């Protein structure tokens, strides 16, 4: 596709459920980022991949959050045992390589009830 | 650590008015600076950027100048249109770590006829 694609666009989960959020980056983009955007706030960095290697996961808020990119293309952000404070928009971005412009997907809005 | 502070919104202007959205930053090194825009229902889009002191980024009539002495990157437009209504985010990135972005909290702009 032409841009970064994220699915689902909306996800409602009951507290305690596990969720998986998918990101399809722009074809050929080496770098991939996940951000969390709480309501009324700016996006906050979660984690970064260079190809399949997760080089920075310093922004993941707890060990319930896990991200992977096994073949260096599609990435999945998994949240285990969701809590209400996990409710946010999760944004994925990709760039040609580190230091290049990041292109963002439309995001997945997660609501934990 | 790095941080970005931008003026709170919403900012409401009449069409053809002059726009300024203030942005200041704190960084340990020499960051690149960005303005991203988020239109309703869409993903973040890069509006403009500047990579070194005194650089001016410009796009679609918007401008911002990288001021190292005042650690600022204020966004300006001489004559706003209704179609400029959106949320504007100031952001920075530093070399290394994939150049992850640090965002401000966003400023909502509403332009009325």
């Amino acid at each position: 596709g032409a841009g970064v694609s994220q699915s689902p666009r909306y996800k409602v989960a009951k507290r305690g459920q596990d969720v998986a959020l998918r990101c399809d980056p722009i074809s050929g983009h080496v770098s991939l980022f996940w951000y969390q955007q709480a309501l009324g706030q700016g996006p906050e960095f979660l984690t970064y991949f260079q190809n399949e290697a997760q080089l920075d996961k310093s922004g993941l808020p707890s060990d319930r959050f896990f991200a992977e990119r096994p073949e260096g293309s599609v990435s999945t952000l998994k949240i285990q045992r969701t809590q209400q404070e996990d409710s946010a928009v999760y944004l994925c971005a990709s760039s040609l390589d580190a230091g290049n412009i990041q292109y963002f997907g439309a995001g997945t809005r997660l609501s934990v009830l | 650590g790095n941080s970005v502070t931008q003026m709170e919104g919403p900012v409401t202007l009449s069409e053809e008015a002059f726009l300024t959205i203030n942005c200041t930053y704190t960084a340990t090194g020499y960051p690149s600076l960005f303005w991203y825009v988020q239109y309703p229902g869409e993903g973040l889009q890069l509006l403009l950027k500047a990579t070194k002191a005194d650089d001016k980024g410009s796009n679609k009539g918007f401008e911002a100048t990288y001021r190292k002495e005042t650690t600022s990157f204020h966004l300006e437009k001489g004559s706003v249109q209704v179609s400029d209504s959106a949320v504007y985010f100031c952001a920075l990135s530093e070399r290394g770590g994939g150049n992850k972005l640090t965002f401000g909290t966003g400023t909502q702009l509403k332009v009325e006829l």
Side-chain angles (χ1 to χ4, degrees):
Chain A
V4 178
S5 178
Q6 292 187 245
S7 60
R9 286 295 310 275
Y10 304 92
K11 177 69 179 177
V12 178
K14 291 182 179 178
R15 189 159 56 94
Q17 280 186 331
D18 298 348
V19 298
L21 313 180
R22 177 187 170 103
C23 173
D24 281 89
I26 294 172
S27 178
H29 278 197
V30 169
S31 298
L32 185 145
F33 303 80
W34 284 99
Y35 295 84
Q36 180 190 57
Q37 185 176 15
L39 188 63
Q41 301 297 314
E44 292 192 356
F45 171 79
L46 293 177
T47 187
Y48 157 64
F49 290 85
Q50 184 87 343
N51 294 306
E52 69 278 4
Q54 189 175 19
L55 299 185
D56 187 346
K57 52 182 180 179
S58 61
L60 295 176
S62 77
D63 58 7
R64 295 186 296 104
F65 286 70
F66 172 75
E68 61 184 5
R69 193 185 185 199
E71 297 179 358
S73 178
V74 171
S75 176
T76 303
L77 177 67
K78 297 179 179 178
I79 309 174
Q80 296 177 323
R81 304 181 304 281
T82 52
Q83 304 295 315
Q84 280 191 322
E85 62 262 28
D86 300 335
S87 295
V89 176
Y90 291 85
L91 298 172
C92 177
S94 70
S95 66
L96 196 58
D97 203 344
N100 291 102
I101 293 171
Q102 293 182 34
Y103 296 88
F104 283 79
T108 295
R109 181 178 297 278
L110 172 65
S111 298
V112 181
L113 305 178
Chain B
N2 298 338
S3 67
V4 175
T5 302
Q6 56 182 112
M7 61 189 287
E8 291 189 17
V11 173
T12 303
L13 296 174
S14 298
E15 204 170 41
E16 299 183 2
F18 184 86
L19 168 71
T20 300
I21 300 178
N22 291 336
C23 171
T24 57
Y25 67 90
T26 302
T28 51
Y30 298 96
S32 295
L33 302 174
F34 306 84
W35 278 99
Y36 277 82
V37 58
Q38 189 170 37
Y39 297 102
E42 298 184 17
L44 284 164
Q45 301 174 25
L46 179 66
L47 180 60
L48 53 85
K49 69 172 187 175
T51 57
K52 63 182 188 298
D54 300 324
D55 268 2
K56 177 185 283 188
S58 60
N59 186 26
K60 300 181 181 180
F62 291 90
E63 292 183 340
T65 301
Y66 189 143
R67 301 288 189 199
K68 186 169 177 289
E69 64 276 12
T70 55
T71 61
S72 65
F73 193 55
H74 304 320
L75 183 68
E76 297 182 336
K77 187 175 185 183
S79 176
V80 294
Q81 305 299 313
V82 171
S83 57
D84 293 327
S85 298
V87 181
Y88 292 82
F89 292 92
C90 186
L92 68 81
S93 72
E94 287 199 285
R95 293 183 186 277
N99 289 50
K100 61 189 177 187
L101 291 163
T102 300
F103 287 89
T105 55
T107 302
Q108 184 176 15
L109 171 66
K110 298 180 181 178
V111 181
E112 301 172 335
L113 289 172

